[in-house]
């Protein structure tokens, strides 16, 4: 059966996210463990953690994915932002384990004009430091980016050069965002194009590293380096692209939608569209 879900809100208390997932018919989901726009995280109360774990068991939903806050920049040349980002990453590794979750996803950040080499060094140090400070079973998923100016991790080669320098590579996996890949120049429309993109991924990183797909259409054209998500089938990847993506090996991985919130289509309608295109 297809593993399919949404990015869902934890508004109210953290266990409420599971009610939302069940209401929408998700068998997996993604969430933040905290407010994604602030540096400070509220401590998780024992009661809500217990309630989260209990509801999760009862729901049969598995696995769950936690996304790191937006403010993190693991490649930042600014010392204050960098050290806060490393602390936040450690905190997320701890919170994820406390919630009984196994995966946390992070973006690789921006070098802000200081160059890829320097950015890479900072990310590698950040991850290695966090892993030695927090020893647990949580897998950190590195997400490919659209390649907007100064952003790190848009090419498979760049992601591999980061992953290869992580001392405990078993604790790393990859999250493949279809919108970001397409915007970064990896074609995902025809069947041949999807296969070619996956073959390149396999040669450079290895398909076994793929643990999650962010299934998003793209407002920007192929190679546009524009990070703007679109409803499934309504963007430049289109229905044909998603049919081929879903038929490929990507379709057998956990699929999380991060599609827009607007009046054109609801989350539940996007889920329905994915199921229809997967037929
Ligand atoms: Mn992301
Ligand atoms: Mn994403
Ligand atoms: Zn994006």
């Amino acid at each position: 059966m297809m593993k399919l879900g949404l990015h869902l809100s934890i508004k109210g208390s953290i266990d409420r996210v599971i009610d939302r997932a069940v209401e929408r018919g998700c068998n997996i989901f993604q969430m933040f463990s905290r407010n994604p726009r602030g540096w400070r995280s509220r401590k998780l109360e024992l009661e809500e953690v217990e309630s989260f774990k209990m509801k999760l068991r009862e729901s049969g939903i598995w696995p769950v994915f936690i996304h790191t806050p937006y403010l993190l920049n693991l490649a930042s040349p600014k010392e204050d932002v960098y050290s806060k980002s490393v602390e936040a990453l450690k905190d997320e590794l701890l919170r994820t384990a406390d919630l009984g979750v196994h995966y946390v996803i992070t973006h690789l950040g921006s070098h802000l004009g200081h160059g890829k080499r320097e950015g890479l060094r900072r990310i590698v140090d950040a991850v290695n430091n966090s892993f030695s400070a927090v020893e647990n079973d949580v897998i950190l998923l590195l997400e490919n980016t659209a390649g907007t100016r100064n952003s790190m991790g848009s090419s498979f080669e760049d992601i591999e050069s980061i992953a290869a320098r992580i001392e405990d590579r078993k604790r790393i996996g990859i999250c493949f965002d279809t919108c970001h890949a397409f915007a970064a120049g990896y074609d995902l429309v025809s069947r041949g194009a999807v296969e070619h993109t996956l073959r390149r991924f396999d040669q450079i990183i290895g398909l076994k590293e793929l643990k999650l797909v962010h299934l998003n259409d793209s407002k920007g054209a192929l190679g546009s380096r524009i990070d703007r998500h679109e409803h499934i089938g309504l963007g430049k990847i289109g229905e044909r692209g998603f049919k081929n993506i879903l038929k490929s090996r990507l379709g057998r991985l956990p699929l999380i939608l991060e599609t827009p919130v607007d009046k054109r289509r609801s989350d539940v309608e996007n889920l329905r569209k994915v199921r229809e295109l997967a037929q």
Side-chain angles (χ1 to χ4, degrees), residues 37-63:
R37 287 177 188 83
W39 282 112
R40 291 169 65 94
S41 68
R42 181 176 65 82
K43 197 177 162 293
L44 292 169
E45 301 297 334
L46 195 62
E47 255 173 66
E48 58 179 338
V49 170
E50 286 311 312
S51 169
F52 176 91
K53 287 180 170 172
M54 198 187 69
K55 282 187 184 177
L56 190 61
R57 267 196 308 275
E58 285 171 354
S59 71
I61 289 173
W62 193 258

Side-chain angles (χ1 to χ4, degrees), residues 161-253:
S161 66
I162 292 163
R165 288 170 175 79
I166 303 306
E167 283 151 20
D168 203 349
R169 184 156 181 172
K170 291 189 303 301
R171 296 176 72 181
I172 291 280
I174 308 293
C175 166
F176 184 88
D177 187 308
T178 55
C179 166
H180 299 173
F182 188 76
Y186 295 103
D187 197 348
L188 292 166
V189 177
S190 73
R191 190 170 164 186
V194 172
E195 256 158 38
H196 178 71
T197 293
L198 288 182
R199 208 172 313 123
R200 281 178 72 189
F201 187 97
D202 196 31
Q203 282 161 356
I204 297 161
I205 303 174
L207 283 169
K208 65 177 194 313
E209 310 290 335
L210 266 181
K211 305 297 176 199
L212 170 64
V213 175
H214 279 169
L215 202 66
N216 303 309
D217 209 332
S218 170
K219 282 198 170 111
L222 177 66
S224 61
R225 299 180 174 265
I226 294 170
D227 182 2
R228 284 186 70 202
H229 301 189
E230 181 54 294
H231 296 295
I232 301 299
L234 299 184
K236 295 289 195 297
I237 298 176
E239 293 208 354
R240 177 167 164 243
F242 283 97
K243 274 188 188 162
N244 288 321
I245 289 167
L246 291 165
K247 234 180 274 166
S248 78
R249 199 172 156 142
L250 295 175
R252 300 201 291 274
L253 287 160

